[in-house]
Amino acid sequence: MSTPDGGTDLHLDLPAGGARRTALAQALRDAVRSGRLAPGTRLPPYRTLAADLGLARNAVADAYAELVAEGWFTARQGSGTRVAEGAATAAAPSAATAPSSASPLHDLLQGKPDPASFPRSAWAASARRSLAAAPTEAFGPGDPRGRPELRRALAAYLSRARGVRTAPDNIVVCSGFANGLRLLASVRPRDWAVEAYGLPFHHGILESAGVRAHPVPVDEDGAVTTHLPARARTLLLTPAHQFPTGSRLLPARRAAAVDWARNTAGVIVEDDYDGEFRYDRKPVGAVQGLAPGHVVYAGSLSKSLSPAMRLGWLVLPDHLVDQVLAAKGLRESWASALDQLALADFIECGAYDRHVRRMRKRYHQRHDQVLSVLAAQAPHLRVTGIAAGFHAVLELPPGREAPALAAARAAGLALDGLSAYRHPAAPHPPREGLVIGYAALPDGAFARALHALSEVIRRVATP
Amino acid sequence: MSTPDGGTDLHLDLPAGGARRTALAQALRDAVRSGRLAPGTRLPPYRTLAADLGLARNAVADAYAELVAEGWFTARQGSGTRVAEGAATAAAPSAATAPSSASPLHDLLQGKPDPASFPRSAWAASARRSLAAAPTEAFGPGDPRGRPELRRALAAYLSRARGVRTAPDNIVVCSGFANGLRLLASVRPRDWAVEAYGLPFHHGILESAGVRAHPVPVDEDGAVTTHLPARARTLLLTPAHQFPTGSRLLPARRAAAVDWARNTAGVIVEDDYDGEFRYDRKPVGAVQGLAPGHVVYAGSLSKSLSPAMRLGWLVLPDHLVDQVLAAKGLRESWASALDQLALADFIECGAYDRHVRRMRKRYHQRHDQVLSVLAAQAPHLRVTGIAAGFHAVLELPPGREAPALAAARAAGLALDGLSAYRHPAAPHPPREGLVIGYAALPDGAFARALHALSEVIRRVATP
């Protein structure tokens, strides 16, 4: 783990899924307790550990603060955070079983669809049918492009549902968006324009691939594509629903992005992570449809169905197909052929559309529930963005995010601050707010989480 | 595609789902038009093609009848269905396309299990059961170690079948051996000892990960582990069945490797790629069982069941678990959770054992078939290695490999020469020979391939 400014190397093992900040704090305690982190050791900077673990920087900062508060760490201006002298012995006398209060009661972290809504029977039927109908060669080594059945089904579906214009031969199946982004980073020139707000995990992927990222400001009309960094040849966008601030890209800015790509031989990478989930109107089609020769459209199952299959796809302009396939390699890294066959059937028999419709209704209700709670508790605050996706952003005045997060943590809420999603190279001051994921919890737990959240907001967000 | 009673090989690419009969008819027309099916060629029997394509036999019969009616095919009692004389030119005037006669008739490339033997019903049953029984969180983001159900099933199976001593927490599921090797390359020191013969693909993975490879000679008793390169801290071995030369690692050399690891704090990476398939005796247990703290045991489904799922596993010593997980990353790269759950069920219900037993018997017969043909055609040449796995190596005198490969190519045979597997840094002169994969072809095609091979050998390998 890299520590450019002098902190120790630190390998931590965190579970995926909810409660990662809590898990990080626990892992740090364990590391001190076991002696892996000796007294006096300087911890890695927040951003380093955050990038390594794929966490928001704030999550790491909070975990550090928590351990300072508990006496495990000391923090001094200018010398960073260190393991406290005598921490291991003092702080962990017996307590073997440990802080059960550590795991959050209410998981409102963004990015997760509802796992309980997975359509088990419909998927099982598709799996059974597609397994019986599969040609023999499907059980052999396989095509790095992905199964032709799936690429055909995707080309038709994406055309119909997202206005994507493509052919099966321009689609490369990959194991999720991150896998696709890494492939693209390896074939595109070094300078990328990225939205000033995005997933730190994605920023980290680009950074470790050697990409020089140039943040583009994001406002209520999406990324400001009218003035793009001169050196950039690739532009990473979330046009349907800016992540995480929630705006949609203004038509004029879509056009500006496409003009930029045409004039500079540039490529737009369109991350359509939740494009099917718009609640106030019919979803707007993909930018890809405007300029198939200049846009890579990237999608995945991780939001629309489940991240469990590790299935995603890149829709590529002709000139990138061979490059991406060469980067992918011929002998590995393609996703499960059985899941691909099942998904092709699942799309073609209409089950995918039915699932998306069902979830759109469910998430729409959740979205409205969040809005009404926020409107009641904090009418002076603003929820940004369009009615879409899996999370809402409650903007906070400067200086209010940190106390709000601390109060949320104290109330057993797991959620992120907006500032954690700001690209570290973005020049503008961070916007503050709460990013509230509303898709994953079961109804009862969600109601309780919303109640706890509303209490927190009432207390800390009152002017 | 199997044609036990004399029909041609026929590889067709049909869409999944509805209208497959129509698609088959179209694919057959295309095959004739492009010249892939030459006039006079006998078509495979209905039941063979139906089994290969996963279609009802009737659907194939109907498609044949349709093409007979259209004049593409002729059908005569007792001589089966054949491509009509003049069909291609008559029916496809322009025919600008394709020297498709370039593709080999007989695929004897090593490394592929029999795709037609994939146990569709048993796998479908496991998939259905495991999907119904899965906990809700299985449809969420998932654990980078892999599903706990699978790690438990693997720990028990590998102990029983391969003598591996481990616990579920020491297993990390990955997407095949190559993925695992890349992870290991990123966490181990730079100097590796590798067998002087191995898969060039693996050599390439190590090289691009910055590994400095030190080739270790390989002889009839496996890798010469009694004298290992001084700087190496990691040793990549195929102890059960040296790849591709076919020897098993002598017990004294197993012990020497383990001593080396203990004395140098070194790590052995045991690639057990076909460990379940030994035909002359019960398989010898894994080296890992001798020293679980010093051996990474690596296995996958790619040989024992199918490469279609992209599923493999690393069994790690305690001190490597966190490092490998950190290299893997917390947010991606784990294999399909649904396939993992299905495999756990498949192992636990005994279906995996049954499949391995069935395939062992089948591949054993194939192995003996190859040996008898080679013994008859080239009694003066030696087939090296033990009776195991998916390929045999026919050693050739110096200077004979290149002409043999040329003759094989001319006869429509696809297979590799032994010298292609030599590590480029190996000091010793290359050994020459033919590497003959015998697992993948259907019976009829295999018989024809063996016949073609024996002709080639008779001509070029005569002293």
Side-chain angles (χ1 to χ4, degrees):
Chain A
M1 226 160 259
S2 76
T3 57
D5 24 17
T8 185
D9 272 354
L10 187 52
H11 296 281
L12 295 174
D13 176 19
L14 297 191
R20 318 233 10 256
R21 179 184 312 169
T22 315
L24 171 60
Q26 192 52 48
L28 290 169
R29 279 186 212 101
D30 291 344
V32 176
R33 204 182 275 132
S34 70
R36 281 177 56 214
L37 278 175
T41 307
R42 182 169 173 177
L43 277 298
Y46 306 156
R47 73 167 170 293
T48 311
L49 192 57
D52 282 340
L53 296 174
L55 286 171
R57 204 196 296 185
N58 245 35
V60 176
D62 288 350
Y64 281 14
E66 198 175 332
L67 271 82
V68 169
E70 294 170 356
W72 299 83
F73 292 175
T74 58
R76 222 177 327 236
Q77 195 62 38
S79 101
T81 308
R82 291 177 185 276
V83 179
E85 295 301 328
T89 46
S94 67
T97 42
S100 52
S101 62
S103 77
L105 301 168
H106 311 294
D107 182 356
L108 294 178
L109 291 166
Q110 62 73 31
K112 291 174 288 187
D114 176 17
S117 296
F118 187 86
R120 299 187 192 216
S121 324
W123 184 266
S126 285
R128 180 177 45 71
R129 270 196 304 266
S130 61
L131 197 57
T136 301
E137 51 83 16
F139 305 101
D143 184 337
R145 291 169 193 259
R147 291 297 310 170
E149 297 88 343
L150 177 57
R151 292 184 286 115
R152 279 194 294 267
L154 281 172
Y157 171 77
L158 293 173
S159 161
R160 176 164 59 75
R162 304 293 302 125
V164 169
R165 290 190 287 151
T166 193
D169 281 354
N170 288 62
I171 297 180
V172 172
V173 176
C174 52
S175 68
F177 179 78
N179 179 223
L181 186 62
R182 197 168 278 130
L183 290 172
L184 292 168
S186 74
V187 304
R188 292 294 301 160
R190 197 175 160 198
D191 287 281
W192 287 49
V194 303
E195 293 170 326
Y197 284 78
L199 203 58
F201 174 53
H202 295 166
H203 298 156
I205 284 176
L206 292 178
E207 192 183 342
S208 48
V211 164
R212 196 156 38 197
H214 305 271
V216 175
V218 161
D219 64 22
E220 299 195 343
D221 297 319
V224 184
T225 55
T226 41
H227 295 91
L228 290 172
R231 299 164 78 175
R233 288 294 164 272
T234 309
L235 168 60
L236 178 58
L237 282 184
T238 49
H241 190 214
Q242 205 284 324
F243 183 84
T245 67
S247 47
R248 62 50 188 114
L249 192 65
L250 196 72
R253 291 195 180 169
R254 297 178 151 237
V258 167
D259 285 348
W260 165 86
R262 289 203 173 111
N263 295 335
T264 63
V267 166
I268 298 167
V269 177
E270 177 172 27
D271 176 3
D272 198 39
Y273 67 103
D274 65 1
E276 280 114 341
F277 295 96
R278 176 118 188 213
Y279 312 129
D280 54 345
R281 49 161 290 168
K282 199 169 158 346
V284 173
V287 171
Q288 195 272 358
L290 303 176
H294 294 276
V295 180
V296 175
Y297 173 93
S300 91
L301 279 193
S302 298
K303 303 283 186 296
S304 59
L305 185 57
S306 163
M309 288 84 126
R310 314 308 312 143
L311 268 184
W313 40 88
L314 298 177
V315 176
L316 295 158
D318 291 340
H319 71 283
L320 284 178
V321 173
D322 287 348
Q323 287 180 54
V324 165
L325 285 173
K328 196 177 183 200
L330 292 171
R331 313 250 333 205
E332 54 167 336
S333 296
W334 53 91
S336 164
L338 304 193
D339 284 348
Q340 292 184 57
L341 291 168
L343 178 57
D345 181 281
F346 193 75
I347 292 172
E348 285 181 339
C349 76
Y352 190 71
D353 285 83
R354 279 193 297 279
H355 179 70
V356 166
R357 273 199 304 274
R358 183 164 72 97
M359 299 318 291
R360 193 183 287 140
K361 199 169 151 196
R362 176 177 174 80
Y363 296 148
H364 187 178
Q365 285 166 349
R366 285 284 174 94
H367 172 265
D368 291 352
Q369 227 177 319
V370 171
L371 257 60
S372 72
V373 164
L374 296 179
Q377 296 294 341
H380 59 295
L381 294 179
R382 205 172 67 100
V383 173
T384 64
I386 57 175
F390 302 78
H391 69 273
V393 174
L394 180 71
E395 294 236 35
L396 293 172
R400 304 303 284 269
E401 183 183 292
L405 287 173
R409 196 168 45 247
L413 281 157
L415 80 178
D416 284 325
L418 180 57
S419 64
Y421 294 88
R422 177 169 157 271
H423 194 283
H428 2 277
R431 289 158 66 176
E432 298 191 21
L434 298 180
V435 181
I436 302 158
Y438 52 72
L441 287 181
D443 290 333
F446 182 64
R448 287 191 296 279
L450 265 194
H451 179 73
L453 177 66
S454 67
E455 292 291 306
V456 165
I457 288 170
R458 197 175 44 73
R459 268 187 292 129
V460 303
T462 315
Chain B
M1 223 158 263
S2 77
T3 55
D5 24 17
T8 186
D9 271 352
L10 190 51
H11 294 282
L12 296 173
D13 178 21
L14 297 190
R20 314 216 34 244
R21 179 184 313 170
T22 317
L24 171 60
Q26 191 52 48
L28 289 169
R29 277 185 213 100
D30 291 345
V32 175
R33 203 182 275 131
S34 70
R36 280 176 57 216
L37 278 175
T41 307
R42 183 168 173 179
L43 276 300
Y46 307 154
R47 74 168 170 292
T48 311
L49 192 56
D52 283 339
L53 296 173
L55 287 170
R57 203 192 298 187
N58 248 29
V60 176
D62 288 352
Y64 281 17
E66 197 176 333
L67 271 82
V68 168
E70 293 170 356
W72 299 83
F73 291 176
T74 57
R76 221 176 328 231
Q77 193 64 36
S79 100
T81 307
R82 291 178 184 275
V83 179
E85 293 301 330
T89 44
S94 75
T97 40
S100 46
S101 59
S103 73
L105 301 168
H106 311 294
D107 183 354
L108 293 178
L109 291 166
Q110 62 74 33
K112 291 174 288 189
D114 176 18
S117 295
F118 186 86
R120 299 187 192 216
S121 326
W123 183 266
S126 285
R128 181 176 45 72
R129 271 195 304 267
S130 61
L131 196 57
T136 301
E137 52 83 17
F139 305 102
D143 183 337
R145 292 169 192 260
R147 290 297 309 169
E149 296 89 342
L150 177 57
R151 291 184 286 116
R152 279 195 295 269
L154 281 172
Y157 171 78
L158 294 173
S159 161
R160 175 164 58 74
R162 304 295 300 126
V164 168
R165 291 190 286 151
T166 193
D169 280 354
N170 288 63
I171 297 179
V172 172
V173 176
C174 51
S175 68
F177 178 78
N179 180 224
L181 186 63
R182 196 167 277 132
L183 291 172
L184 293 168
S186 74
V187 303
R188 292 293 302 158
R190 196 174 161 200
D191 287 280
W192 286 48
V194 303
E195 294 171 325
Y197 284 78
L199 203 58
F201 175 52
H202 295 166
H203 297 157
I205 285 176
L206 293 178
E207 192 183 341
S208 47
V211 164
R212 197 155 39 197
H214 305 271
V216 175
V218 160
D219 64 20
E220 300 194 341
D221 297 318
V224 184
T225 55
T226 42
H227 296 91
L228 290 171
R231 300 164 77 174
R233 287 294 164 271
T234 309
L235 169 60
L236 179 59
L237 281 183
T238 49
H241 190 213
Q242 204 285 322
F243 183 86
T245 68
S247 47
R248 64 42 188 122
L249 193 64
L250 197 69
R253 291 194 180 169
R254 297 178 151 236
V258 167
D259 284 348
W260 165 86
R262 290 204 171 109
N263 295 334
T264 62
V267 166
I268 298 167
V269 177
E270 177 173 24
D271 176 4
D272 198 38
Y273 67 104
D274 64 0
E276 279 114 342
F277 296 95
R278 177 115 187 214
Y279 312 129
D280 53 345
R281 48 160 292 167
K282 198 169 157 349
V284 172
V287 171
Q288 194 271 357
L290 304 176
H294 293 277
V295 179
V296 176
Y297 173 94
S300 90
L301 279 193
S302 299
K303 303 283 187 294
S304 59
L305 185 57
S306 164
M309 288 85 127
R310 314 308 312 144
L311 266 185
W313 40 88
L314 297 177
V315 176
L316 296 157
D318 292 340
H319 70 282
L320 285 178
V321 174
D322 286 351
Q323 288 181 50
V324 165
L325 286 172
K328 197 178 183 199
L330 292 170
R331 313 245 339 202
E332 55 166 337
S333 298
W334 52 92
S336 164
L338 304 192
D339 284 349
Q340 292 185 56
L341 291 168
L343 178 57
D345 181 280
F346 194 75
I347 292 173
E348 285 180 339
C349 76
Y352 189 71
D353 285 85
R354 279 193 296 279
H355 179 71
V356 166
R357 273 199 304 275
R358 183 163 72 97
M359 299 319 290
R360 195 183 285 139
K361 199 169 150 197
R362 177 177 174 82
Y363 296 148
H364 187 177
Q365 286 167 348
R366 286 284 175 93
H367 173 266
D368 290 353
Q369 227 178 319
V370 172
L371 256 59
S372 72
V373 164
L374 295 180
Q377 297 293 340
H380 58 294
L381 294 178
R382 207 171 64 99
V383 174
T384 64
I386 58 174
F390 302 79
H391 69 275
V393 175
L394 180 71
E395 294 237 34
L396 293 171
R400 304 304 283 271
E401 183 184 291
L405 285 175
R409 208 166 29 247
L413 281 157
L415 79 179
D416 284 324
L418 181 56
S419 62
Y421 294 88
R422 177 169 157 271
H423 194 282
H428 1 276
R431 289 159 66 175
E432 298 191 21
L434 298 178
V435 180
I436 302 158
Y438 53 72
L441 287 180
D443 290 333
F446 183 64
R448 288 191 296 282
L450 265 194
H451 178 73
L453 178 66
S454 68
E455 292 290 307
V456 165
I457 288 170
R458 197 175 45 73
R459 269 186 291 128
V460 303
T462 315

